[in-house]
Amino acid sequence: MQQNDASGPRSPEFCSFPAGLNYSWEEDRKFILRGWSLVFSILATLMVLSVADGRMAYVQGSYTGYVGLWTNCRKHKCASLGQVTVLIHMSMGFMLLALTLCLILLSTMGLSFRPVFHRLNKIDLVFSFLSFCIGFLIVFSLTLFVVNCETLRPRPRVSYLVTTYLCWGSGALMLWAGALSYLNHAGFWSRRTVSSNWQVSYRRWTLLQNSLKSMFKQQSHAHPPEPHRGPSQLTHTLGAPLAKPF
């Protein structure tokens, strides 16, 4: 009865389907969705940076000129409102806080793709919280600015510029990025991508099998099996045959 050599290479046909591929697909899915959330966050940050131009609205009436959070009156014609109201101060504070959190969010999301941060399971929840905070801060800031423009007395004709709409769009993008990060943390798409999960896993399993087959062939060529010895070869090796008993 022949026994297989334990030290020899095993045939890859006996390799079962690796269970770790599903976990690998979960990691890839999280990185893909986190990448999309990072793209939306970058776009929102670039859009909200347009507020640095200072011209967010143009008023016509008793005081004609541009109104904004940080308007450069030396470069543009500013509306002489007399004094900066409390609403404008609060709007500026919310916007500064939102810009600071944007820098923190982008830096941490960029570092989260490094292997040292892969074991942090709650990091997408943190990104979702920061994105929601930034989105609501931008919305609050713009709401206070609009309320300040609409409560001017005597009431002028207000025309909001592209900068204001870009800021509204950045707030919406940040809220969407926060929702995407939360769904990524909750694993919402893992229940809806079962077929894609198995397709990708089967493809990786096939690639793994091919690599195992190539390794098995290389080991077989490097250590060829010993040829089977017949009775004549055994006789030549052991010497003269034994005499037959009488």
Side-chain angles (χ1 to χ4, degrees), residues 109-120:
M109 288 188 75
L111 292 174
S112 67
F113 290 94
R114 293 182 174 272
V116 70
F117 297 101
H118 287 182
R119 295 186 178 181
L120 299 178

Side-chain angles (χ1 to χ4, degrees), residues 43-60:
L43 290 176
T45 304
L46 293 176
M47 293 169 66
V48 78
L49 284 176
S50 63
V51 75
D53 179 71
R55 296 176 297 174
M56 298 181 64
Y58 186 78
V59 295
Q60 293 178 344

Side-chain angles (χ1 to χ4, degrees), residues 70-167:
W70 298 284
T71 307
N72 188 1
C73 296
R74 296 180 180 179
K75 186 177 179 181
H76 309 290
K77 182 182 178 181
C78 297
S80 55
L81 302 179
Q83 61 180 1
V84 182
T85 60
V86 178
L87 295 178
I88 291 295
H89 278 297
M90 294 177 63
S91 178
M92 293 170 61
F94 284 141
M95 190 62 70
L96 283 175
L97 184 58
L99 290 174
T100 304
L101 291 179
C102 281
L103 297 178
I104 297 175
L105 176 64
L106 295 181
S107 59
T108 52
M109 288 188 75
L111 292 174
S112 67
F113 290 94
R114 293 182 174 272
V116 70
F117 297 101
H118 287 182
R119 295 186 178 181
L120 299 178
N121 298 326
K122 304 294 184 181
I123 192 168
D124 289 303
L125 185 61
V126 176
F127 294 154
S128 175
F129 176 75
L130 288 176
S131 299
F132 278 123
C133 289
I134 295 171
F136 284 121
L137 285 173
I138 294 174
V139 171
F140 290 157
S141 176
L142 294 175
T143 303
L144 293 175
F145 176 77
V146 171
V147 170
N148 178 77
C149 293
E150 296 296 331
T151 55
L152 292 175
R153 293 294 180 270
R155 185 173 181 179
R157 179 181 178 183
V158 182
S159 300
Y160 297 101
L161 303 180
V162 180
T163 305
T164 306
Y165 297 106
L166 286 177
C167 292

